Structure formats: C-alpha cells, structure tokens
C-alpha cells in the first residue's frame, strides 16, 4: 500500500523475522559460492580461465534471476511465499549440482580428452565449454538467488518514504548474512565437516528459511498487483531515470576491479588460503553492508539519492587511493604484530585497512541507485531487480577484465589509478543528471580526475616483497631481476648475489642458483628427480608438476630421455627465461625438457593415453588454490592412472606445513592409493619426500646400480654412495602403513591440508618432531640392507638416530662403535673414547674405528701416539695429515697448517677422515686473516661440506663469507643455520651467540642493515 505524504506509515510486524530469513539467505549463498568454486575446480582445474568462467556463470545467473524478477515481481500477489518457494528451489537445485558436475566431467573428458600428450591451457573453445557447463549447472540455483531481493522489496516497501530505507536495509541484511557465511565457511565448516557437508548445511538453511517464509506468508495475506505510477516526483522526467542503470553497471565493473586488485595484493600479506580469503571477503562485505545501511537513511528522495550516488563514487576513488598510498606501511606493522603473537589479528587489520573504507561507499551505491530509478513504492521490486541485474553484469565484466587484462597489463598502481578515474567520471555523470545540477562540484570532480591522471600511485614494493608465511614482516631483498603481474599470480625474482629468489604471490617458491661455489647448495630440490631414478634406474620419462625455479631438473641423469614439466602461471616460465644466462645451469636449454602451461590436474585428466615412468609433484604451499587439490586421494588416483606399470610417484611436503595429524593423513591417502609407500628426509632437512609405487622398492640395490651408471650427476646432488641415500630413509612400507593406520584420508570433499596447513602454530608443526614421530618405526633400526657399511651409515646420522640404529646392530663390536659415533656426533668425546678403546684393539685396521678413535682423542696430548699405542700400527697418510693438522691448530700455527694443505687435500672424499681434513684446511685459511684466503675457505665449505653440513660447519661457512667481504651470503648462511637449529633438540646457546657476533661485526647499511636486523630477530637476539 502507498501512504500519503503526511500519513503515518503502518508498522510491519513481520519485518524482523523477514530480515532474519534474508540474513540466512545471504549466508547460504556465500557458502554455495565458496563450495561450488572449489567443486568446479576438480573438473576444470584452477587456471584463471576456469575460475573466471565459473564466477561469471554464477553472477550471470544472479543477474538473470533479477532481470526476470523485474517483470514478475509486480504481479506476484504473495511475494513472501514466492520468496520461500525460491529458497526451497535453491536447496533442491544445490543438491543436484554434484550430479551436474559429474555429467560435465564426463562430457569434458569425451570432448577434449583422450590424447597421449599433455595439453596446454585451452583457448576459446575450452572457455566456451567451461562457460556453457557452468551456466547450465548454476543457472537454476543462482537465478533463484537473484530473484529473492526484488520479491522481498515488493513485500517490504509499502510507502514511497520507505523505498530507500527498506531496500537498503534488505540489501545490508543480506550482505551481513554473506559475511557470516563467508567466515563460517572459511574458519569452521570447511575445516570441520568438508566441502560436500558444507553445501548440504547450506541447503538445510534454505529449507529452514522456506519454512519460516511460508509461516510469514500465511500471516501477510495477498497483495494486489502493483500499478506503476506515471510520475512520482522523480528527479528526472517520467521514464528518464534509466540513466542510472549504465552507471550502476560501470560502478559494478570498477568495484570488482578493486576487489580483484586487493585480493591479489593482500595475498602477499595474509596469504591465499581458505581462512585468508574468507577474511578478505568478509572485510569487503562488511563495508558494503554498513555502507548500504547508512545510505538507506540518506536516500529519502530521488534527488538526494542521485547526489548521494555521485558522492559515493568520489568517495570510492578517494578512499581507494588513500588505502593504496598507505598499504606499503602495512608490512612493518604486521611484522611487529606477528612478533608480539598476534598474526591472525594482523591479517584482519590489513584487510580492514585496505578493503573496508572504499567498500563503505561501494555498498551505498545500490540503495542510492534503486531510489533514483524507482518511481514509487510499487516500483520497489522491479527497480531493485533492474539495478541488481545491471550492477551484477558490470561486476561479472569487471572481474573477468581485471583478472585477465587490466591488472596484468597495467599492474597494481596504474590499475588503481585508472579505476579511481573511472569512479570520478561515473560520479560526474551522475552529478550532471541530478536535479539541481552543481557546476562547481562537477568542475571539482573533473579537476580531481585530471590530477589523478597526472600523478598515479607508486608501486607498493614493500608489499610485493613480503611473505605471508613470515607474518608480513620478512621481505625478499636484492635488486628486482623480474616482476610481472600474471593472470593467476604475481611473480617476483630478486637478485641475492648468490642466487635469484623466486616468489609467487609473496610465497617463496625457489632459489635459482648463480655460478659460484654455492651452486650445490640445498640439494633437497634436486633429490626430487634423483630419488625416482635411484628407485628405478631404468626409467626413461619423467613428469615434474610445478616448474618453480627449475632447480629440480637442473641435474637429471642422461638415462632419462624425456622430461615434461607442468606450470600453472606463464610468468613463472618467463622469470626462468629472464635469468637463464645468469644461472648456474639452465634446465630449459636441455632438449629433453618440455614445459606445458596448464593446471596439472586438468592436463593429466585430458591426457588419457599418456604414461610416465615417474611423476614428481612439488606444489609448494598446500593451502594455495592452485596447489591444494594436488594433495588429495582423487589426484593421487589420477597420477596412478598415468604411471607405467612399475612407475614411481614422488610427493614433496614441507614439514612446517603439517602437524602429526596432517602428516598421517597424507600417509594414509598415499597408502590407500599405492601398494608401496616409503618416506625420505633428504638434507638439509625441513621437508620430506614420499616415494610411492605399485611395484616394490629395494633402494639399496637399485641405488647402487644408478650410482654405478652415473656417479657424476648424483655427486652434484650430494649422493656419492648408497649410505648417502639410506641416511635419508625415514619410513619403509610397513612403517608408513603403521603410522597411517586409522587416519582419515585427505579428500577433495574434505581437504584438511588446505584448511589447516596455513594456520598451524610453529609448536605444532612437524619441523623439529619428525624423528620423535617416526623414530619408533625407523627402518634402519630393524635391519640394515645387505651390503651396507653400518659404520659409514652411522657416521651420517644425527645423534639420536645414530644411537637408535646402533642399538639394533647384531654385531656387538659394531654396536659399541655405533654408540661411540653417536657420542661423537653429540660432542661427547670422552664417552666415545671409552667405547672405542676395546673396539680398536679388536679391529685395528678398521678405518671407521680408527677415524672415530682419532676424533675422540683429538684434544689429548698425542692422539696419533694414542692410536699407535692402542693399535700397535703406524698411521696412514690421511691419518698422519689430519693428526698433524690438529697439532698445528693446537699450537696456533697458521703457517704450519697451510704447509699441510697438500697432504690434507689428498684425503679422498670416501675416507672417514675427509670431513676433518676439510675443516682443517678451512681453519687454516681463516687464520690467514685475508679476504682471498677467506674466499677459499668459503669455497671449500660449500664444495666439500655442503651436502650434509653440521651446525658448526654452517657457522664456519658464515664466518668465512663475512671475512671474505660477502655479507649477503654470510647472513643467508646464518639463516640456514637457524633453520637447522630449529630441527635439532637443545638450545645451542653458543652457536647462536657466535652467529650473532658474526652478524653484528659485519658492516651493513641500507637494505643490508634490514636483512641483518631480520637475521638477529630470527636468532632471538
């Protein structure tokens, strides 16, 4: 009903319950959007093309529903009942979505699949297929969602004076529900009950709303059909208010451009996991809800609404520019908050500071536009529907254009400048059409746009260098060697003197090594491709999932004839090409290497006839959208179907990303897929590799064959003999199955790794507790493989494991020597000497025992004489050189030590005293006190002790680089030391103190000063 201008507006007692229903509708809608986006990724992949087309179909459905409601709403006699029936229809259609996805998968496979080669990401035909399938599946539920607001506006608005207020209140309430749905999905539903159960919960909410709406409809009764007035005092002539619709479209376009930009930019600070995305989206929606609620009170008349719309556009531009100007100050603030123990609060603060202010004005535009368009209370439903449809179409276009073209082409700074200019132009156009016109305001807006074009914002380099994994407080340092804003990721490579550091959306992806003594640093990445060859020396084809910095395929034995690599983001490939001439070895120059730009799951799904001898998966951050679905049972099943009969699969996981439950879940998932699963922990630690196959493993035998066939390439990985491989053997097949028993698998429908891995407390992560978890199932503690040198193996193990394995040795003498080697590794020389005395008398010619005795007694009065006395044997050349070196060091004779250099250099790598000889050569050079000798010491440390260095070896390396005038490398080495100490029990106060002294003694200014401060922070100093 329409009241008079002076009459009182009847009170609507049903409004509070109606608002509660619409709140729940908004919550359910955002739950569906989150769930369906992920479910479609299982079919089409996570390429930007696939994600954008699904989002476009979702929002196009909303627009279609709103457009249909614009025609139907005035004739609906019982709008609340119709709304309830729509909610029930949404629930039923949502339950049918999985069936539609299954049909889409089958059709997709039949249309594009069946090839024997890995495809690149699809073109126009693939995009049209994605869009058609997405639209067909999502149109029924989303169209019904889009029709709900116009129907409720038809019921709620009974008087012209209510029009702006009621429409704004409905819109704000629905958006507030969307906030609740977003947060509940990201922080509770997905982690607790999984994807399918979350969608079912949303359907239950829709059913509940249907029941409440049906009850309200009985009390509300029927309404007569609405008759639109010819003229109700609109600010423009009758039929001339449609000018607001293209402006609403443009506003939606620009608003979603901002959203895409901020989500991409904030991922450098808060990450890209489920919870991080929920926080960003909730911050944006919160601004929209409050802005809409505020505008509802202002939009009392069409004239005021038109002016409000114009001012809101100017506000969006101004607040967006202000937030962008301030964003580069956030990394330091977030880092400080994270250090104080508030990392979650820090992420929320970043989102609220950037997304919320402009969203206030964005939210205000909808009720303003509706009030401008509507010619009276009876036009509330159609006007709401038309504005909603036009605005949503603009949002679809903005999301696609921003993701595919605008942001990649213009970058962040120019995009925000162009978007702000567009806001000003839209606001100016609205001001021109409003009554009365304000020429002065229009001139001011034009001047603002001109000033904006002349002075665009600057690139926020601090944000782009920030790592969300470090709480926003750790920045990539060094000159920018490559930077690009891609369609799915922002890629940055910085020159850090010894290597290029590659980051994707702020997350550290890889180090690309430059020529120099450090080229064999961190062999873990090369183990990714070495391990499958060690397990299957006869393999000829290998697939790498995730190119990263290409380090994994720098060293692949020539026996492998073809290497395929799949990379999601083209700019990662471009970064590798940019630095190709400056890296130690360019894997892309290898004719065996073929790179495919696609989502890995999508590529493997379509390559039905492709078969590989080995597949290696290294998606680095398991919570990120492009990587999360590569850790599930469904993906492992797909991998298995693309392996040869005895093919092997290698899966990487970083121990900081998993706790005990997640580690067991991955084991359970792989063990359910493959008949044989083993786990390896290569140096320098911090990560593990799962090795899986349907054919059994015998690494001791197969590694011996592989090493015999190609010793030089494996030496570049730090693998010289079988014992180097077995020292990294963490779990065998029985151990893996025992640890996985009773643990739920990681599934597409309930991806625990995606939901939890980015929110683990450092105390819960498995970084320093892997041995405690896996130790009771240690395969080396049960029985060593035949032909393995037990003492050479024990010398490579950390103290706790060495003692555990020694205790299991059947030979009493080897057992006692093993305990002595464990004591030596722990620094307990007197205890080791006591154990070794009898062993040396029993086996005086055993080189391992002799070397251990010398090491245990090196600080005695005459260690060489002690050996001769105990063994009644002369010293070997290697032993004589090392003993002489110790004596010279004790006498502080640098010249005498250097005189022994040739003899020490002659100690071969396989000799048990090789490490001691190298340390003596390094010590002699450091005592020389000149930079050239220090550089030689650093090179020796890298080349001879770089495969499995001890904490003290890393400390010496840092000291050498500091003395050689390479502070960047010295600080990076101290960083490696901190990582290693984090994996070892104890406090290591002396090592930490000495590392701090080295860092403080180095001259530092500018960026180096910040790096040193960050290093000292990590040391706790």
């Amino acid at each position: 009903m329409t009241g008079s201008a002076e009459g009182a507006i009847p009170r609507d007692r049903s409004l509070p319950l109606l608002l509660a229903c619409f709140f729940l509708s908004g919550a359910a809608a955002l739950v569906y959007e989150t769930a369906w986006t992920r479910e479609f990724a299982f079919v089409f992949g996570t390429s930007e093309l696939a994600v954008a087309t699904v989002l476009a179909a979702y929002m196009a459905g909303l627009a279609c529903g709103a457009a249909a409601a614009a025609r139907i709403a005035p004739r609906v006699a019982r709008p609340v009942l119709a709304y309830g029936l729509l909610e029930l229809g949404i629930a039923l259609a949502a339950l049918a979505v999985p069936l539609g996805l299954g049909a889409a998968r089958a059709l997709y496979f039949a249309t594009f699949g069946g090839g024997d080669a890995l495809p690149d990401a699809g073109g126009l035909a693939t995009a049209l297929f994605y869009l058609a399938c997405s639209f067909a599946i999502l149109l029924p539920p989303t169209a019904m969602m889009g029709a709900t607001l116009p129907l409720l506006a038809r019921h709620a608005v009974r008087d012209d004076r209510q029009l702006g207020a009621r429409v704004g209140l409905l819109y704000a309430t629905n958006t507030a529900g969307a906030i609740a749905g977003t947060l509940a999905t990201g922080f509770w539903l997905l982690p607790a009950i999984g994807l399918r159960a979350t969608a079912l919960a949303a359907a239950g909410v829709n059913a509940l709303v249907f029941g409440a709406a049906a009850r309200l409809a009985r009390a509300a009764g029927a309404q007569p059909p609405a008759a639109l007035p010819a003229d109700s005092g609109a600010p423009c002539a009758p039929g001339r208010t449609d000018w607001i619709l293209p402006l609403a479209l443009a506003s939606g376009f620009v608003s979603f451009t901002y959203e895409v930009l901020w989500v991409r930019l904030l991922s450098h600070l808060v990450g890209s996991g489920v919870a991080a995305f929920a926080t960003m989206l909730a911050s944006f929606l919160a601004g929209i809800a409050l802005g809409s609620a505020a505008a509802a009170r202002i939009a009392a008349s069409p004239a005021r609404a038109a002016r409000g719309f114009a001012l809101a556009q100017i506000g969006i531009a101004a607040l967006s520019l202000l937030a962008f100007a301030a964003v580069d100050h956030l990394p330091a603030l977030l880092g400080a908050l994270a250090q104080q123990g508030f990392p979650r609060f820090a992420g929320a603060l970043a989102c609220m500071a950037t997304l919320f202010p402009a969203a206030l004005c964005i939210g205000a535009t909808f009720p303003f536009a509706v009030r401008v368009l509507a010619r009276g209370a009876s036009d509330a439903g159609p006007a709401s529907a038309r504005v909603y449809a036009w605005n949503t179409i603009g949002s679809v276009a903005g999301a696609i254009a921003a993701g595919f073209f605008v942001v990649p082409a213009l970058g962040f700074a120019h995009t925000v400048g162009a978007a702000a200019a567009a806001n000003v132009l839209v606001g100016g156009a609205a001001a021109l059409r409003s009554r009365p016109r304000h020429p002065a305001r229009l001139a001011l807006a034009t001047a603002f746009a001109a000033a904006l074009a002349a002075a665009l914002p600057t690139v926020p380099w601090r944000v782009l260098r920030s790592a969300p994994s470090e709480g926003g407080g750790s920045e990539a340092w060094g000159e920018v060697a490559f930077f690009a804003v891609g369609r799915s990721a922002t890629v940055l490579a910085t020159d850090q003197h010894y290597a290029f550091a590659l980051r994707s959306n702020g997350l550290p992806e890889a180090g690309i090594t430059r020529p120099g003594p450090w080229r064999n640093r961190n062999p873990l990445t090369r183990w990714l491709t070495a391990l499958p060859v060690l397990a299957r020396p006869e393999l000829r084809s290998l697939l790498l999932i995730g190119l990263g910095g290409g380090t994994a395929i720098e060293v692949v034995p020539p026996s492998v004839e073809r290497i395929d690599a799949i990379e999601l983001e083209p700019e990662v490939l471009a970064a590798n090409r940019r630095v190709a001439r400056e890296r130690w070895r360019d894997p892309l120059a290898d004719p065996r290497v073929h790179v495919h730009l696609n989502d890995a799951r999508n590529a493997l799904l379509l390559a039905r006839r492709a078969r590989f001898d080995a597949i290696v998966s290294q998606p680095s951050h398991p919570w990120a959208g492009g990587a999360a679905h590569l850790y599930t049972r469904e993906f492992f099943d797909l991998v298995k179907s693309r392996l040869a009969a005895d093919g092997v699969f290698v899966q990487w996981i970083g121990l900081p990303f998993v706790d005990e439950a997640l580690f067991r879940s991955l084991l359970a998932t792989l063990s359910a897929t493959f008949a044989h699963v083993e786990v390896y922990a290569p140096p320098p630690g911090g990560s593990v590799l799962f090795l899986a196959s349907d054919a059994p493993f015998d690494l001791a035998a197969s590694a011996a064959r592989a090493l015999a066939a190609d010793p030089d390439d494996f030496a570049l990985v730090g693998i010289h003999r079988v014992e180097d491989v077995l020292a990294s053997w963490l779990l065998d097949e029985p151990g893996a199955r025992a640890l996985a028993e009773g643990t739920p698998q990681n599934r597409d429908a309930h991806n625990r790794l995606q939901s939890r891995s980015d929110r683990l407390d450092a105390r819960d992560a498995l970084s320093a507790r892997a041995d405690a978890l896996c130790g009771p199932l240690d395969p080396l503690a049960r029985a060593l493989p035949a032909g393995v040198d037990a003492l050479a193996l024990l010398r490579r193990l950390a103290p706790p494991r060495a003692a555990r394995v020694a205790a299991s040795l059947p030979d009493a003498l080897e057992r006692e020597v093993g305990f002595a080697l464990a004591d030596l590794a722990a620094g307990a020389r007197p205890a080791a000497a006591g154990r070794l005395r009898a062993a040396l008398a029993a086996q005086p010619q055993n080189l391992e025992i002799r070397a251990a005795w010398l090491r245990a007694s090196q600080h005695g009065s005459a260690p060489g004489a002690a050996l001769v006395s105990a063994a009644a044997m002369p010293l070997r050349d290697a032993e004589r050189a090392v003993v002489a070196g110790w004596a010279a060091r004790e006498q502080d004779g640098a010249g005498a030590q250097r005189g022994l250099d040739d003899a020490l250099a002659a100690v071969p790598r396989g000799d048990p005293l090789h490490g001691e000889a190298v340390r003596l050569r390094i010590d002699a050079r450091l005592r020389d006190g000149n930079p050239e000798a220090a550089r030689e010491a650093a090179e020796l440390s890298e080349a001879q002790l770089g495969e499995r260095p001890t904490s003290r070896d890393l400390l010496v390396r840092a000291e050498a680089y500091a003395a050689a005038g390479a502070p960047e490398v010295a600080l990076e080495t101290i960083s490696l030391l901190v990582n290693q100490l984090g994996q070892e029990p104890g406090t290591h106060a002396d090592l930490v103190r000495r590392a701090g002294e080295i860092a403080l003694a180095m001259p530092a200014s500018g960026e180096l000063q910040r790096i040193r401060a960050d290093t000292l922070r990590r040391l706790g100093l």
Side-chain angles (χ1 to χ4, degrees):
M1 107 183 201
T2 304
S4 64
E6 291 81 15
I9 301 174
R11 183 180 180 184
D12 186 355
R13 299 181 181 275
S14 67
L15 185 60
L17 183 55
L18 193 68
L19 292 174
C21 289
F22 210 36
F23 177 92
L24 294 175
S25 295
L30 260 292
V31 172
Y32 287 134
E33 183 179 355
T34 303
W36 290 341
T37 301
R38 282 162 174 74
E39 290 210 52
F40 271 88
F42 302 146
V43 180
F44 301 147
T46 56
S47 68
E48 190 67 20
L49 175 66
V51 173
T53 51
V54 172
L55 177 63
Y58 184 95
M59 300 188 71
L62 296 177
C64 288
R71 297 178 175 275
I72 299 171
R75 298 192 294 273
V76 176
R78 300 173 69 88
V80 177
L81 179 60
Y83 161 70
L85 291 172
L86 286 176
E87 289 293 311
L88 182 61
I90 293 169
L92 295 175
L95 295 176
V97 165
L99 299 177
L101 284 169
R105 178 190 291 271
L107 184 60
Y108 182 51
F109 193 74
T111 305
F112 297 100
D116 55 3
L118 294 167
D120 284 348
L124 179 61
T126 305
L128 292 174
F129 180 87
Y130 291 164
L131 189 61
C133 287
S134 303
F135 195 77
I137 295 169
L138 295 180
L139 178 63
T142 55
M144 288 185 278
M145 291 177 192
T148 55
L149 176 61
L151 287 171
L152 290 186
R154 160 96 166 98
H155 168 81
V157 179
R158 307 296 180 87
D159 186 277
D160 288 0
R161 290 169 292 176
Q162 293 178 326
L163 206 159
R166 287 287 173 89
V167 170
L169 182 60
L170 286 169
Y171 187 69
T173 301
N174 190 250
T175 305
I179 297 169
T182 298
L183 294 175
T185 303
F187 287 93
W188 176 51
L189 291 173
L190 285 179
I193 62 177
L195 192 59
R196 301 284 163 74
T198 295
L200 288 175
V205 170
N206 290 132
L208 178 65
V209 171
F210 161 71
R215 181 177 177 182
L216 279 172
R218 285 196 298 271
Q223 293 179 227
L228 299 182
D231 187 1
S232 57
C236 303
R240 297 288 302 279
T241 58
D242 286 0
W243 59 265
I244 195 66
L245 293 175
L247 297 187
L249 183 146
S251 179
F253 184 100
V254 178
S255 297
F256 261 72
T257 299
Y258 284 125
E259 184 177 3
V260 170
L261 179 145
W262 283 117
V263 168
R264 293 285 300 273
L265 197 55
L266 286 174
S267 66
H268 292 75
L269 298 176
V270 302
S272 56
V274 174
F277 182 76
T279 303
M280 288 187 276
L281 184 56
S283 301
F284 188 72
L285 293 174
I288 289 177
L290 291 177
S292 177
R297 294 181 173 273
I298 300 171
S301 69
R304 291 186 69 183
R307 291 194 296 272
F309 184 89
L311 290 174
Q313 295 296 319
I314 302 297
I316 294 170
L319 291 171
S320 296
L321 289 170
L322 184 63
F324 195 84
V327 73
D328 234 11
H329 298 285
L330 286 176
L333 176 60
L334 301 191
L337 287 172
Q339 290 179 44
Q340 296 300 319
F342 302 105
R344 305 299 169 214
F345 174 75
L349 174 65
C351 296
M352 292 299 292
T354 51
L355 286 162
F356 181 78
L360 285 169
C361 296
I362 292 172
T365 59
F366 181 79
F368 283 145
V370 172
R371 189 64 190 94
V372 169
L373 183 65
R375 289 173 288 169
S378 56
D379 195 24
S384 300
R386 295 176 71 194
V387 171
Y388 189 85
W390 281 72
N391 186 258
T392 302
I393 291 171
S395 300
V396 173
I400 294 176
F404 276 88
F405 309 110
V406 179
V407 177
L410 298 182
F412 294 114
H414 289 78
T415 295
V416 78
N423 283 130
V424 172
L425 293 176
V426 171
L432 279 174
R433 299 304 302 263
S434 65
R435 298 289 192 275
R437 294 194 178 102
H438 296 277
R441 294 178 183 175
L442 181 60
L444 183 63
T446 305
F448 184 81
L452 182 65
L456 289 172
T458 58
V459 178
W461 284 115
R462 289 196 186 116
V463 172
L464 297 174
R465 289 172 178 267
S466 295
S469 57
E470 296 290 341
S474 177
E475 298 178 18
W477 57 274
E479 293 184 6
V480 175
F482 178 88
F483 174 73
V485 182
R487 290 181 174 178
S488 62
T490 302
V491 181
L492 173 71
T494 57
D495 187 346
Q496 299 187 344
H497 182 72
Y498 53 88
F500 296 97
L502 182 68
R503 292 193 177 198
S504 175
N505 287 335
L507 295 170
E509 291 289 347
I512 302 175
T513 310
R514 304 191 71 157
W518 43 72
R519 65 180 181 273
N520 292 338
R521 179 82 62 84
N522 193 3
L524 168 66
T525 307
R526 293 177 186 148
W527 266 74
L528 282 163
T529 48
L531 186 57
V533 180
L534 290 167
R536 301 283 190 264
E538 64 280 1
L539 74 82
R540 296 294 176 264
S541 61
L542 184 147
L543 168 64
L544 176 68
I545 296 173
L547 176 66
T551 307
I553 50 176
E554 280 183 343
V555 181
V556 180
S559 59
V560 179
E561 298 170 355
R562 181 182 175 92
I563 304 168
D564 289 277
I566 302 177
E567 175 55 50
L568 178 63
E569 174 52 62
E571 298 299 345
V572 170
L573 178 60
N576 276 271
R577 287 174 172 159
R578 177 70 60 84
V579 302
R581 294 183 178 180
E582 299 179 68
R583 66 188 299 166
W584 168 65
R585 179 177 290 181
D586 178 17
L588 300 180
D590 189 333
R592 299 175 297 169
V593 174
H594 307 270
V595 180
H596 311 270
L597 295 172
N598 204 343
D599 174 86
R601 191 158 170 166
N602 185 56
L604 285 174
L605 177 68
L606 297 180
R608 182 173 58 182
R609 293 196 296 270
R611 293 296 181 271
F612 302 93
D613 295 326
I615 297 178
V616 176
S617 183
Q618 61 159 351
S620 54
H621 300 90
W623 60 83
H629 68 324
L630 303 182
Y631 289 92
T632 65
R633 170 66 188 272
E634 289 76 7
F635 175 66
F636 294 157
D637 284 340
L638 177 61
V639 165
K640 180 179 176 178
S641 69
R642 301 299 183 261
L643 282 173
D646 61 346
V648 294
F649 175 55
V650 175
Q651 174 69 62
W652 172 94
I653 190 65
L655 293 179
F657 305 152
V658 293
D659 57 9
E660 179 178 337
L662 291 176
F663 183 76
R664 288 175 181 268
S665 179
L666 275 174
L667 271 178
T669 309
L670 282 162
S671 297
T673 307
F674 294 94
H676 305 275
V677 177
E678 295 186 347
V679 184
Y680 289 80
S687 300
V688 297
L689 305 180
F690 299 95
L691 180 67
S693 178
D694 273 348
F697 299 112
D698 183 358
L699 257 291
S702 61
R705 299 200 309 274
L707 287 167
D710 189 27
D712 293 338
D713 280 324
F714 283 109
L716 292 173
V717 187
I719 301 172
H720 303 275
R721 51 190 292 175
V722 170
E723 287 77 13
D724 292 321
V725 179
L726 297 180
S728 298
W729 193 17
L730 195 62
L731 290 171
D732 60 4
E733 179 192 336
R737 294 196 176 277
L739 201 56
E741 187 175 358
T743 305
Q745 298 177 36
N746 201 49
R747 306 297 297 255
D748 282 350
H750 196 174
N751 192 334
R752 295 169 174 83
L753 197 63
Q754 180 182 25
S755 301
R756 294 182 49 226
S757 61
D758 65 330
R759 294 191 289 159
L760 289 178
D761 190 285
R763 293 168 295 184
D764 297 327
L766 210 58
S767 302
R769 299 189 299 110
D771 187 72
L773 176 64
C774 302
L777 301 167
D778 194 335
L780 299 178
R782 285 201 296 274
L784 296 182
V788 171
D789 186 332
L791 298 183
L793 175 62
L794 288 167
R795 182 163 45 85
R796 289 162 167 78
L797 302 181
R801 193 179 190 195
R804 181 173 60 244
V805 175
S808 69
L809 295 176
D811 183 84
L813 186 141
E814 282 191 336
R815 187 163 57 247
E816 194 67 11
V817 175
F819 285 132
L821 290 171
D823 289 336
L824 280 174
R829 288 193 179 90
R835 293 181 182 277
L836 288 166
R837 189 170 290 106
L840 183 62
Q843 290 192 11
Q845 298 195 40
N846 186 299
L847 299 185
E848 290 286 350
I849 298 175
R850 291 166 66 95
W853 171 262
L854 285 174
R855 291 166 58 205
S857 57
Q858 66 174 281
H859 291 297
S861 57
L867 176 64
V868 174
S869 173
M873 284 188 61
L875 295 175
R876 298 182 300 120
D877 289 343
E879 293 164 347
R880 186 178 298 106
V882 169
V883 168
W886 285 338
R889 185 178 61 189
E890 290 294 327
Q891 297 164 12
D892 201 23
Q897 281 185 262
R898 289 303 296 267
L900 294 167
D901 195 69
D902 289 343
L904 291 169
V907 179
R909 181 180 290 273
D911 193 287
L913 285 173
H914 172 75
E916 296 296 336
V918 173
R919 293 180 183 97
L920 285 167
R921 297 179 69 199
I922 293 171
D923 182 73
R925 284 160 173 78
L926 290 179
R927 286 168 181 257
D928 272 0
N930 65 77
E932 181 59 36
R935 278 191 289 274
E936 292 179 9
E939 292 179 8
L940 276 171
S941 177
E942 294 278 9
Q944 304 296 326
L945 301 175
E947 299 145 5
R948 206 177 288 268
T950 67
S951 298
R952 294 194 177 276
D953 290 335
L954 289 174
L955 187 67
V956 168
R957 182 188 297 171
E959 184 177 3
Y961 277 119
E968 305 96 337
V969 194
L971 290 172
E972 186 266 352
T973 305
I974 293 175
S975 181
L976 293 178
L977 171 63
V978 174
N979 293 339
Q980 185 151 317
L981 293 179
Q983 301 163 31
E984 298 175 358
T987 58
H988 310 286
D990 59 331
L991 294 176
V992 170
R993 177 185 53 77
R994 179 56 188 146
E997 291 173 352
I998 294 171
L1000 287 169
M1002 289 185 291
S1005 60
E1007 188 176 33
L1008 198 60
Q1009 177 76 19
R1010 180 183 60 78
I1011 301 166
R1012 181 169 68 178
D1014 187 58
T1015 302
L1016 292 171
R1017 176 185 62 81
R1018 296 190 64 207
L1019 285 167
L1021 300 175

